[in-house]
Amino acid sequence: QQQVKQSPQSLIVQKGGISIINCAYENTAFDYFPWYQQFPGKGPALLIAIRPDVSEKKEGRFTISFNKSAKQFSLHIMDSQPGDSATYFCAASPLTYSGAGSYQLTFGKGTKLSVIP
Amino acid sequence: DADVTQTPRNRITKTGKRIMLECSQTKGHDRMYWYRQDPGLGLRLIYYSFDVKDINKGEISDGYSVSRQAQAKFSLSLESAIPNQTALYFCATSDTYWQREGESTDTQYFGPGTRLTVL
């Protein structure tokens, strides 16, 4: 059973446009929601993360929107640039100890973003 | 120098061979993880270790084993490799949560990956 569903699988955006990637989760024990960015040939790297006590977090051109009641969160990339072209993974984990499985990150399947000039 | 290193970076082997992938870190983190990445399937957790004496199975541990030789070293073994274990393998580390506060403390730092092909 996939616990974090990510969409779309791929996304093509014009330079300067807004890229939006959505994720939905099922496990109500999740209380930490990071996004990882992966460039070809590299390992994933943390981009931005949010806890459920806030509905939005912004870092530069990257914003996470979080809807706790709907169990959904999304990544918005404003003014998308060709250098943003990468694969993006949403993830979720319980940061509070809750037995087996605690602290493990569950990843979505990834979104390949291509920003064209 | 990279904080998380993996060796080898690429490996081609044959069905039935024993393979070991190694991971070393200089970040001083207690927690280490092994993931595999397959196209369209994202990252799936194979094993994780919260300290040298603590090893736990992840989502897809069948066919794999691990060894935590020291705080800084965590190796993944395929005792008898099979073609469907062809994938990208990533090692990751993270800090011990209860020693710090804030979401950044759960950041996982990934190595560059090992591309394994089993023929």
Side-chain angles (χ1 to χ4, degrees), chain B residues 26-118:
Chain B
T26 58
K27 299 189 76 66
H29 289 168
D30 287 329
R31 299 183 183 179
M32 298 187 73
Y33 311 80
W34 275 104
Y35 292 90
R36 68 176 277 176
Q37 183 177 17
D38 299 276
L41 295 181
L43 291 150
R44 293 181 292 166
L45 183 64
I46 306 172
Y47 270 95
Y48 62 104
S49 168
F50 283 175
D51 62 44
V52 175
K53 297 181 181 179
D54 178 75
I55 303 288
N56 303 280
K57 292 183 178 180
E59 178 188 352
I60 53 165
S61 60
D62 288 348
Y64 302 94
S65 62
V66 291
S67 174
R68 185 80 183 267
Q69 300 96 323
Q71 186 204 35
K73 296 184 182 295
F74 193 34
S75 60
L76 176 72
S77 293
L78 289 67
E79 296 301 325
S80 180
I82 56 177
N84 76 359
Q85 291 177 315
T86 293
L88 256 178
Y89 290 85
F90 287 101
C91 172
T93 74
S94 70
D95 213 344
T96 304
Y97 172 74
W98 57 82
Q99 289 182 346
R100 302 177 190 268
E101 294 180 337
E103 63 189 36
S104 63
T105 66
D106 204 59
T107 301
Q108 291 196 12
Y109 297 87
F110 285 79
T114 294
R115 184 171 294 280
L116 177 66
T117 302
V118 183

Side-chain angles (χ1 to χ4, degrees), chain A residues 100-115:
Chain A
S102 298
Y103 313 125
Q104 290 182 45
L105 275 177
T106 299
F107 284 87
K109 293 186 176 182
T111 296
K112 185 175 182 179
L113 171 65
S114 299
V115 181

Side-chain angles (χ1 to χ4, degrees), chain A:
Chain A
Q1 180 183 10
Q2 184 188 4
Q3 296 191 49
V4 179
K5 294 184 179 180
Q6 183 173 347
S7 63
Q9 192 172 6
S10 63
L11 182 62
I12 299 174
V13 174
Q14 290 273 359
K15 178 183 176 182
I18 302 174
S19 304
I20 302 174
I21 304 170
N22 300 300
C23 286
Y25 64 98
E26 300 162 2
N27 189 345
T28 55
F30 289 155
D31 59 3
Y32 173 68
F33 304 90
W35 284 88
Y36 280 78
Q37 179 188 53
Q38 183 182 28
F39 293 105
K42 304 290 185 183
L46 179 69
L47 181 64
I48 187 172
I50 197 168
R51 297 293 303 275
D53 52 344
V54 296
S55 60
E56 185 176 283
K57 182 173 182 180
K58 184 176 181 179
E59 290 185 1
R61 297 184 293 109
F62 300 91
T63 300
I64 299 179
S65 297
F66 182 79
N67 185 329
K68 187 175 182 178
S69 61
K71 291 188 286 186
Q72 295 176 346
F73 59 110
S74 60
L75 176 69
H76 296 233
I77 305 174
M78 311 300 288
D79 187 27
S80 299
Q81 299 296 313
D84 297 330
S85 297
T87 299
Y88 292 82
F89 294 97
C90 62
S93 78
L95 279 188
T96 304
Y97 183 75
S98 58
S102 298
Y103 313 125
Q104 290 182 45
L105 275 177
T106 299
F107 284 87
K109 293 186 176 182
T111 296
K112 185 175 182 179
L113 171 65
S114 299
V115 181
I116 55 177

